[in-house]
Amino acid sequence: MKPWVPGEIVVDPNGPEPLYSQVARQIGAAIEDGRLPNGARLDNELDLAARLHLSRPTIRQAIQSLVNQGLLVRKRGVGTQVVRTKVARPLRLSSLFDDLSEIGDKPESVVLVNRVEPAGEDAIEYLETPGLTHVRRLKRVRSTGGEPLAIMNNYLPDGLIAPADDELRDKGLYQLLRSAGVRLHAAQQNVGARQATEEDAELLGEKPGAALLTMRRTTYDESGKVVEYGWHVYRASRYSFNLSLTNNV
């Protein structure tokens, strides 16, 4: 694949946004909208700097920013390539089942939905697979110590795995994917909050309007394909997300 020529990048040296950030933002936008597809190569730093009339350190900083976001990767002998993984922050690719088991809890699951169904527009968008006709839809309630903790919803491309309900009760989703030979690489995760609906409240043993944490995660394999999209809600009274931050300056 030939290197991408950044003819559409325009920088404003007098603008408030740093030059490297202008370049990174526009390359990132090209990755997001498909102009820079997975596997596309960028020109080397010297050529990019010459084309954009910028310094090499500015280009290096822009590229490093995108590498840190998981949108680009540097490969020796190949150069800088697009890896469509859209990592929002460093993630430990584990399921809630794995996390609970690791701290000595005994996770339990009630399987509410485990079926193959026609792929709607939302599933096609979330799984980033145009032409997808069917998806596997999962919905489970995860409990620990006899108390419900989370409602787990997932879309997976049909044919990736076909777990029985017993498997979903006894194992985590990522464990099942890895056992099927899926090599999980990275993910984009967004954390938020909302109030419990009546259905949420009934399944989680909370009152309607109770505070819930929400999480949406798109998981990618080593080739950059989406292997799972999940949207989950957690009881805020029983669950929190912990992030470790480091100073790279």
Side-chain angles (χ1 to χ4, degrees):
M1 186 177 294
K2 294 182 179 180
W4 176 67
V5 179
E8 300 176 15
I9 292 180
V10 177
V11 295
D12 179 6
N14 298 316
E17 184 180 13
L19 294 176
Y20 85 88
S21 180
Q22 294 183 46
V23 174
R25 173 173 51 78
Q26 292 177 70
I27 294 176
I31 294 172
E32 292 292 340
D33 65 22
R35 284 175 288 147
L36 266 174
N38 185 54
R41 288 192 295 123
L42 269 63
D43 281 336
N44 62 51
E45 292 176 2
L46 283 174
D47 288 342
L48 281 173
R51 288 180 184 276
L52 297 175
H53 306 290
L54 297 171
S55 69
R56 185 176 182 181
T58 295
I59 297 300
R60 181 182 298 120
Q61 190 173 6
I63 290 175
Q64 186 60 50
S65 172
L66 294 166
V67 169
N68 293 342
Q69 294 176 52
L71 295 174
L72 295 177
V73 64
R74 290 188 173 101
K75 295 182 179 180
R76 180 171 298 180
V78 176
T80 303
Q81 281 188 298
V82 174
V83 283
R84 186 73 160 74
T85 52
K86 302 188 301 186
V87 180
R89 64 172 176 81
L91 296 172
R92 179 177 181 269
L93 286 178
S94 61
S95 64
L96 177 58
F97 189 100
D98 299 330
D99 294 339
L100 291 172
S101 298
E102 188 173 283
I103 62 175
D105 284 344
K106 294 182 179 180
E108 304 163 352
S109 299
V110 175
V111 180
L112 302 177
V113 177
N114 176 20
R115 63 173 180 253
V116 174
E117 61 186 35
E121 291 184 3
D122 57 344
I124 293 173
E125 179 181 354
Y126 293 145
L127 295 175
E128 301 178 14
T129 309
L132 185 68
T133 59
H134 289 80
V135 296
R136 178 164 294 276
R137 169 82 162 87
L138 304 177
K139 183 175 184 178
R140 296 154 292 155
V141 175
R142 184 82 79 214
S143 302
T144 181
E147 281 193 76
L149 180 62
I151 304 171
M152 323 290 289
N153 292 277
N154 302 87
Y155 282 136
L156 295 90
D158 181 30
L160 194 62
I161 57 173
D165 286 1
D166 286 347
E167 291 179 291
L168 290 170
R169 282 190 285 265
D170 296 338
K171 297 179 181 179
L173 179 58
Y174 283 6
Q175 184 180 357
L176 293 172
L177 287 169
R178 290 186 173 108
S179 296
V182 178
R183 299 177 67 86
L184 305 178
H185 173 61
Q188 176 188 4
Q189 177 166 288
N190 296 305
V191 178
R194 66 171 173 81
Q195 294 181 318
T197 64
E198 291 188 3
E199 181 186 7
D200 297 331
E202 181 178 355
L203 292 175
L204 294 175
E206 291 278 4
K207 294 181 179 180
L212 300 178
L213 293 171
T214 66
M215 189 269 281
R216 290 179 177 268
R217 178 187 281 186
T218 306
T219 306
Y220 300 81
D221 67 11
E222 288 185 327
S223 70
K225 294 180 181 179
V226 178
V227 294
E228 174 262 338
Y229 174 80
W231 66 105
H232 315 316
V233 293
Y234 303 81
R235 294 173 64 189
S237 60
R238 293 290 315 280
Y239 195 85
S240 64
F241 293 97
N242 294 320
L243 307 180
S244 296
L245 305 178
T246 58
N247 184 4
N248 293 321
V249 177

